[in-house]
Amino acid sequence: MTEKHGQAENMLVKLANLDQLLTLAGEVIITSSNLDLTYKHLQQLHDKKTPVARETVEGAKDLASTSAIISSNLHHLVQAIRTVDLTDLSFRTRRLVRDIARKTGKRVRFEFEGESTTVDKTIVEKLYDPISHQLRNAIDHGIEDTLTRQRAGKPEEGVVSLRASNSENETFIEIEDDGKGVDIQALRQKAIAMGIIKQEDPFTEDDALEIMCMPGVSTTAAVSEVSGRGVGMDVVREQITGMGGIVTFRSTPGKGSLFTFRVPLISAVNILDALVVRSGNFFFAFPINSVVTTISVERKDLHTSMQKGEMIEYLGHLLPLYSLNEVIDKGPLEDTSGLVQVLVVDHKGFTIALKISEFFSPQKLVIIPFNGALTVNGLSGTTILGGRKLGFIVDVPSLIDRAIGKRGVRGLRKTPEIGKKGASAATVKIPEAGEQRAPAETETASLGDTGGIRAEDAAAATQEFIVEIEKLMPALNEALFALESDTGNTEHINKAFRMYHTIKGNFIMIGFAKGGATIHSVESVLDRVRGGKMQMSAEVMDILMDGVAYIEEVVRTSKAGQWADQPSTAILEASAKILPEEKPQIRRETDVTAETVQLSHEAWYRANKYKKEMIPAYMAYIEFDAGKQPAFLVACLIYKRFTEIGDVLGTVPPLEDIEKGYMYGKLKVLFASPVEPGLLEESLVRILTRHYGAQAVKFSRFE
Amino acid sequence: MPGTFEGLKALAVDDYENTRKKLVVILQTLGIQVLEAANGVEALDVLRTNRVDIVFTDIVMPEMDGFELCFEIRKIPELRTLPIVVVSTHVDGNYIIKGLRTGADDYISKPIEQDLVERVIARITTTVLPAA
């Protein structure tokens, strides 16, 4: 869902950031006009053939450094604006874990660490899918059922934790469970059976991951509802590598597994911190994240072997050495000086050394990616370097693939054959992944109809209310999780109730009647809880959590303009199960004209008293159209009007029935009043017809 | 018939600014001067220091909800007859009846529509018998 392009995405921006942006824009304008002045000044000097004064040069230099500072600030600011913390992700994953635990019937405690970690908004959205896959795997395949855990002497409750953190240029997501661990031996047997490794070959956790990532491989015999069979690791890794990241894992049999996703921090912005090098006649920019080091080596210190070609020694390892130009078919490098310039790059644990001609300082570059039609192996795009020179952006993963492919497999990897298969599998269309995405697409197939309002107005109004709802979500999430750990807390219950109530109102405002009805049922459940008519229970909590998930789905799809007003049958059914049956609103319609007013003993007594006091009694028969208000409400209001000028002795239908909603626009009122009969009748008829939609008022003396 | 209610002063009570503003705009269109409050407590503060002709209140609000507000208003002798209209998304009859019982004079459902607001104000500001 998050991968679709061209949809109207938006995000909330801190006002302070916008202010800062405005300030920076101001500085850009000032710098640009200063630049104009300097240029004009230089032009004058040139025209007069006067030598350039020292101050002018200094001035230009100042301008250059000012503009460098401004562009760097701008870049950082834009990145900061695009950045969000992981509160939202934490809420979503906590609900997800709850839901999976419910479906698998396992007892799981979920711990989320690092909510304050800030990550680019688009990255957070892309991370959710692989994270949710991995959490499913951890609970479904990792955590054992209660009985197995008891036998193994573990606490009954399994623990799954998600830890998020940032290093200087990477975001780390660690997902750990204390379950049974990955059966590495089983995977090894599978690899042997598939002919990928031989019996005597070593088999590491990295190799096990490669096997896990092969489509259709699963260590679980049964297909479960939650994570299925063989869906998962390959998809997870494909998604993470798609963001330029890597997946690693550790596992201890019987103790659990730890999967780590490492995703580069800045892959969403087309500005690259790069190290520029010259190799022969070409300039290349290497993403700084993938550069390990630069070294100059004496030509005599290179190792050469017949089998493996040139190697250099780095930190006690022998690294394969390639000529950058040769790897990307740009012709051989001039081999003259005694010193060889070497660049060491790394991706996913593959480390290679590259011979180049010259290093330049690291700089920020704007990437111009190659468009889809043009694929150049080892390169991902171009950039304009200082002096209007063209530079190529190096795609380090494919460069390493290419280098290794050119001269056979070697390097730091122990079982690179597996790696190659895994890597090629990642680009193959995986049927399971397609199946998984299908429901989301059918769900969004039709656009909601917007009635008679102009489509664009309706859409704008909808967006406005959707954004309002979105703003409420963190508080609602917070209230629910607080409620989950402190179920009796009326403050949380009231807060959640109000939030749901407001959101329902918003749904109704934008014409999502079914959405409103869905949230109404959640609200009704909460209302009973806060009124003390229902206990907080797991079922109630489920409904509340599902309510949030439903709202978030509405928000997500609405923002993409793809929401068709659909109720959540799951929520409606679950709440119907625990809510008392609604009283049937339709009772056999009483024939108001035929029925007589039943007087209570007390009313009978009052009627006799009025008779003695010569205060007349009247019978009024009213037919009215309540319009936009419920008929029973209008009937109550009419009743109240009669009490203002007399004493109501009884009605048809009786008041208690009216209050229950049994009212169809016909009402009889028996009342006594001392007001002069003519004035009384005239006033009542006037007010009832004018203000209460009365269409017929019959008035008669009652003896 | 805009302008009919000129000179009236209303108090709009709703914690949710979006819907409150919508009500305020409708009332102002009708020529009514509007004061605002975000919950029952604030509303009572406004009522203590201002003459108000009609109150429109939401039910579900923090601090003090609409029912409590009706109840509190009716406890103040001078405000015993102050017209109160409950404005809510609740179409549940029990809520409406509860509102009427705690002292409300009328009820409007959300989304608020101008013609209904007009009708309710007209109704509520008219007495059965013409003033003597």
Side-chain angles (χ1 to χ4, degrees):
Chain A
M1 264 169 289
T2 50
E3 280 164 20
K4 288 200 185 77
H5 293 286
Q7 54 188 9
E9 286 189 56
N10 45 39
M11 67 183 287
L12 301 171
V13 176
K14 288 196 193 85
L15 217 51
N17 278 334
L18 283 184
D19 289 347
Q20 213 184 332
L21 196 59
L22 199 62
T23 315
L24 278 173
E27 285 177 30
V28 169
I29 293 166
I30 293 165
T31 314
S32 134
S33 67
N34 280 345
L35 203 56
D36 193 46
L37 282 176
T38 313
Y39 151 72
K40 280 182 181 139
H41 190 56
L42 283 169
Q43 184 70 47
Q44 275 174 5
L45 293 175
H46 179 262
D47 291 347
K48 292 180 193 155
K49 303 215 165 31
T50 340
V52 179
R54 174 119 204 105
E55 302 87 79
T56 317
V57 176
E58 294 281 318
K61 195 177 157 196
D62 278 355
L63 266 179
S65 64
T66 313
S67 88
I69 292 168
I70 295 173
S71 21
S72 163
N73 286 350
L74 260 176
H75 181 205
H76 282 122
L77 181 61
V78 172
Q79 279 191 346
I81 289 175
R82 294 182 56 95
T83 280
V84 292
D85 68 21
L86 300 182
T87 323
D88 188 48
L89 181 75
S90 125
F91 289 138
R92 284 179 80 186
T93 48
R94 281 155 82 174
R95 274 205 319 275
L96 181 76
V97 168
R98 228 183 148 272
D99 194 50
I100 303 166
R102 176 166 41 141
K103 285 198 177 120
T104 52
K106 289 178 183 175
R107 286 188 52 194
V108 182
R109 189 171 84 241
F110 181 55
E111 286 165 359
F112 192 109
E113 274 174 42
E115 287 185 14
S116 57
T117 309
T118 55
V119 181
D120 188 279
K121 167 106 170 151
T122 55
I123 298 283
V124 176
E125 279 163 12
K126 284 184 180 165
L127 273 172
Y128 180 71
D129 256 14
I131 286 176
S132 64
H133 271 303
Q134 194 46 46
L135 288 172
R136 282 198 176 88
N137 286 340
I139 299 168
D140 201 17
H141 299 324
I143 302 289
E144 314 89 330
D145 59 66
T146 318
L147 202 65
T148 316
R149 289 183 70 90
Q150 274 176 342
R151 286 201 195 116
K154 289 179 172 183
E156 283 179 25
E157 191 178 56
V159 180
V160 173
S161 37
L162 192 158
R163 291 184 292 275
S165 59
N166 280 341
S167 74
E168 198 175 331
N169 46 28
E170 277 178 315
T171 300
F172 285 76
I173 303 287
E174 295 178 304
I175 296 173
E176 189 167 22
D177 66 76
D178 71 342
K180 60 174 177 280
V182 171
D183 190 347
I184 293 188
Q185 279 316 307
L187 287 168
R188 181 170 184 273
Q189 291 308 320
K190 221 162 251 180
I192 294 169
M194 291 164 95
I196 295 164
I197 57 161
K198 293 197 192 76
Q199 195 63 250
E200 62 274 15
D201 286 344
F203 194 74
T204 63
E205 283 168 339
D206 285 350
D207 303 328
L209 183 65
E210 297 296 341
I211 298 291
M212 272 190 267
C213 287
M214 298 180 75
V217 173
S218 167
T219 52
T220 325
V223 179
S224 91
E225 185 205 342
V226 177
S227 50
R229 175 198 288 183
V231 182
M233 271 331 289
D234 48 347
V235 179
V236 171
R237 196 169 71 163
E238 190 190 351
Q239 284 163 336
I240 296 294
T241 47
M243 299 158 69
I246 61 172
V247 179
T248 55
F249 103 111
R250 286 206 315 267
S251 180
T252 317
K255 292 270 171 62
S257 322
L258 166 67
F259 284 80
T260 307
F261 303 160
R262 286 166 54 183
V263 178
L265 269 183
I266 49 156
S267 72
V269 182
N270 282 355
I271 294 175
L272 183 72
D273 271 309
L275 178 71
V276 178
V277 305
R278 181 176 66 79
S279 180
N281 297 321
F282 300 96
F283 291 91
F284 297 95
F286 283 82
I288 211 102
N289 301 346
S290 52
V291 173
V292 178
T293 189
T294 59
I295 31 179
S296 300
V297 190
E298 295 272 353
R299 192 168 297 281
K300 62 181 170 50
D301 290 340
L302 298 180
H303 301 256
T304 314
S305 80
M306 285 298 285
Q307 276 180 319
K308 299 183 174 176
E310 280 183 317
M311 317 269 283
I312 64 156
E313 199 179 323
Y314 175 65
L315 298 176
H317 288 283
L318 279 180
L319 294 179
L321 179 67
Y322 305 92
S323 157
L324 178 57
N325 269 26
E326 281 172 25
V327 173
I328 49 182
D329 302 325
K330 298 278 185 205
L333 216 56
E334 73 276 25
D335 275 354
T336 46
S337 75
L339 270 183
V340 181
Q341 305 297 330
V342 176
L343 176 69
V344 180
V345 293
D346 171 274
H347 181 72
K348 294 163 66 173
F350 286 91
T351 310
I352 62 167
L354 293 163
K355 263 195 284 188
I356 51 108
S357 312
E358 193 183 353
F359 295 114
F360 296 94
S361 55
Q363 48 193 280
K364 283 189 197 308
L365 298 171
V366 177
I367 306 169
I368 308 156
F370 289 137
N371 64 32
L374 184 69
T375 54
V376 182
N377 277 332
L379 301 175
S380 64
T382 56
T383 185
I384 305 299
L385 300 167
R388 299 229 165 159
K389 283 197 284 279
L390 182 72
F392 293 105
I393 311 278
V394 177
D395 177 14
V396 174
S398 87
L399 181 82
I400 292 175
D401 265 7
R402 237 175 121 76
I404 292 171
K406 272 202 184 266
R407 269 200 325 209
V409 178
R410 63 209 169 91
L412 293 178
R413 299 281 303 184
K414 287 159 202 141
T415 52
E417 288 93 342
I418 298 172
K420 281 204 68 71
K421 281 195 182 155
S424 60
T427 60
V428 171
K429 271 260 176 258
I430 299 152
E432 284 89 338
E435 268 170 34
Q436 284 231 325
R437 282 174 198 144
E441 277 168 11
T442 50
E443 219 170 86
T444 57
S446 67
L447 275 164
D449 82 75
T450 42
I453 313 154
R454 279 203 308 149
E456 58 265 44
D457 289 352
T462 302
Q463 288 303 323
E464 203 174 294
F465 281 99
I466 290 292
V467 168
E468 286 296 324
I469 293 172
E470 208 180 5
K471 279 194 215 156
L472 294 172
M473 294 316 284
L476 176 56
N477 268 304
E478 220 164 88
L480 290 190
F481 285 111
L483 187 59
E484 194 179 24
S485 49
D486 184 6
T487 51
N489 191 319
T490 47
E491 197 180 307
H492 298 324
I493 296 174
N494 282 329
K495 197 173 164 205
F497 177 79
R498 284 200 303 274
M499 299 274 173
Y500 271 119
H501 181 77
T502 305
I503 290 166
K504 177 183 80 175
N506 268 339
F507 276 174
I508 291 171
M509 287 278 192
I510 51 180
F512 291 177
K514 288 167 188 156
T518 302
I519 299 309
H520 178 74
S521 69
V522 179
E523 190 189 322
S524 307
V525 169
L526 260 178
D527 194 31
R528 289 190 71 78
V529 173
R530 76 180 189 143
K533 290 179 193 145
M534 192 188 281
Q535 289 285 308
M536 263 316 282
S537 63
E539 289 80 44
V540 172
M541 211 61 222
D542 288 346
I543 290 170
L544 301 186
M545 294 288 182
D546 288 350
V548 177
Y550 172 77
I551 295 163
E552 286 183 349
E553 176 67 16
V554 177
V555 168
R556 257 196 306 286
T557 44
S558 296
K559 281 170 80 176
Q562 290 164 327
W563 176 251
D565 187 24
Q566 297 281 340
S568 160
T569 40
I571 293 174
L572 290 175
E573 280 166 17
S575 47
K577 230 181 258 176
I578 57 172
L579 282 173
E581 242 179 273
E582 298 257 320
K583 280 188 199 118
Q585 283 285 312
I586 297 156
R587 199 179 75 160
R588 196 172 49 82
E589 196 171 339
T590 49
D591 187 353
V592 175
T593 40
E595 232 166 89
T596 50
V597 176
Q598 302 288 315
L599 292 185
S600 66
H601 285 296
E602 195 234 354
W604 188 254
Y605 169 79
R606 279 181 2 241
N608 278 317
K609 197 181 89 178
Y610 296 138
K611 212 169 185 176
K612 267 185 231 155
E613 289 170 11
M614 306 289 282
I615 295 172
Y618 306 88
M619 177 71 86
Y621 169 75
I622 306 136
E623 281 181 27
F624 63 94
D625 175 9
K628 288 171 178 167
Q629 289 176 304
F632 81 91
L633 166 68
V634 175
C636 286
L637 297 176
I638 291 175
Y639 180 97
K640 218 174 141 198
R641 281 304 188 178
F642 278 92
T643 62
E644 284 172 28
I645 45 158
D647 181 11
V648 177
L649 299 165
T651 57
V652 179
L655 190 58
E656 57 264 35
D657 278 8
I658 297 174
E659 290 188 349
K660 279 178 199 150
Y662 304 132
M663 170 48 64
Y664 305 92
K666 286 174 192 159
L667 178 69
K668 256 187 196 169
V669 183
L670 177 64
F671 70 107
S673 174
V675 177
E676 190 266 309
L679 176 64
L680 182 71
E681 178 169 2
E682 192 215 305
S683 308
L684 276 170
V685 170
R686 181 173 39 80
I687 196 165
L688 292 179
T689 23
R690 191 176 292 173
H691 297 302
Y692 294 85
Q695 289 153 340
V697 184
K698 275 185 226 152
F699 210 73
S700 58
R701 191 68 187 266
F702 187 81
E703 303 299 336
Chain B
M1 26 174 191
T4 323
F5 305 119
E6 234 144 286
L8 282 184
K9 198 191 266 182
L11 170 62
V13 192
D14 196 323
D15 59 319
Y16 196 48
E17 206 185 332
N18 242 5
T19 44
R20 192 175 72 228
K21 287 289 177 229
K22 191 162 179 200
L23 175 64
V24 168
V25 169
I26 289 177
L27 291 172
Q28 283 170 344
T29 317
L30 297 172
I32 296 171
Q33 197 189 333
V34 194
L35 301 171
E36 295 178 51
N39 58 51
V41 177
E42 279 186 27
L44 285 176
D45 281 346
V46 174
L47 290 173
R48 271 185 207 110
T49 47
N50 293 273
R51 180 196 64 84
V52 169
D53 302 299
I54 186 164
V55 175
F56 288 85
T57 179
D58 183 27
I59 295 182
V60 182
M61 294 181 292
E63 306 284 329
M64 181 190 285
D65 71 19
F67 296 138
E68 291 167 307
L69 175 61
C70 288
F71 191 73
E72 291 300 320
I73 288 176
R74 293 300 179 231
K75 283 208 292 203
I76 302 168
E78 307 85 81
L79 303 181
R80 198 148 282 162
T81 55
L82 172 66
I84 305 173
V85 181
V86 166
V87 183
S88 175
T89 37
H90 281 290
V91 281
D92 186 348
N94 293 331
Y95 269 86
I96 298 173
I97 296 299
K98 190 174 171 189
L100 296 181
R101 287 213 178 121
T102 44
D105 296 292
D106 213 323
Y107 166 92
I108 291 177
S109 65
K110 292 183 193 174
I112 306 160
E113 291 174 40
Q114 181 169 330
D115 53 348
L116 187 54
V117 173
E118 275 177 60
R119 181 175 205 179
V120 164
I121 299 175
R123 179 193 283 175
I124 227 166
T125 51
T126 316
T127 49
V128 183
L129 296 177

